[in-house]
Amino acid sequence: SKNYLEKHQCVSVILAPVFSGDRLWGIVGFENHTSARQLRGTEIGILKNFASSLGGLVQSNNQEAFLVRNREELLEAQSFARMGTFEIDFINGVSSFTEQGAKLLGMSIEEMKFDHELIARLRKNVIREDLEKIDKAWVAAMQNKQEVRLDFRIKDDTGSISCLNWNVKPEFALDSKLVRVTGTLQDVTE
């Protein structure tokens, strides 16, 4: 405002709006307290570029905070619904399980790391009679390139038995090689 400029003895000033998306976030500018002068096009361009970059950074930070909040809410909802998610990427050798997904399988998140023993660790708590059902469903899914949906039982360290609903979607490369599996686990114990 004019009062601010007079109070701080600003002789010349240039301002540029900072937009985060389509919302005005703030204003940046240059003030000159010694002499009035006309700014060159390059100086104006620098200020505009800075304002635009700052707006992009603000928008990016807002989007990142939004994603973090959404992930936290999703994890809380999964815990409430006794549901977990997972992904196993066979090409890059990476597995990702939500904490709830690992917990439903009676395992820690650290036990879910991708290595040659992962499948054996995943099967260790499954009730023996249900392993054959899982194996048959898995073979059918690989042959038909389709999702697997089935219920199976697991036993935890205390001997308690839970029934899990397992939904797995395999993804294949053009050469029919298994690339990745993604899915959900839900405790459906009554």
Side-chain angles (χ1 to χ4, degrees), residues 113-145:
K113 71 178 191 298
F114 187 90
D115 62 24
H116 66 281
E117 295 292 323
L118 176 62
I119 301 302
R121 288 193 306 273
L122 292 174
R123 295 170 59 93
K124 78 174 185 176
N125 294 335
V126 175
I127 300 295
R128 183 178 314 263
E129 295 83 20
D130 290 354
L131 285 173
E132 185 176 339
K133 178 171 65 169
I134 291 171
D135 292 342
K136 283 181 180 178
W138 185 253
V139 168
M142 295 303 104
Q143 289 172 347
N144 302 321
K145 296 183 178 30

Side-chain angles (χ1 to χ4, degrees), residues 86-90 93-97 105 107-124 181:
F86 63 90
E87 176 179 347
I88 302 173
D89 182 332
F90 294 98
V94 177
S95 61
S96 171
F97 286 75
L105 291 166
M107 300 169 68
S108 70
I109 201 75
E110 293 78 24
E111 292 176 286
M112 306 314 270
K113 71 178 191 298
F114 187 90
D115 62 24
H116 66 281
E117 295 292 323
L118 176 62
I119 301 302
R121 288 193 306 273
L122 292 174
R123 295 170 59 93
K124 78 174 185 176
V181 293

Side-chain angles (χ1 to χ4, degrees), residues 13 26 32-33 47 61 81-82 93 95 145 154 166-167 172:
V13 66
N32 191 326
H33 297 270
L47 182 61
N61 285 343
R82 299 181 321 200
S95 61
K145 296 183 178 30
I154 63 164
W166 186 48
N167 293 307
F172 297 91

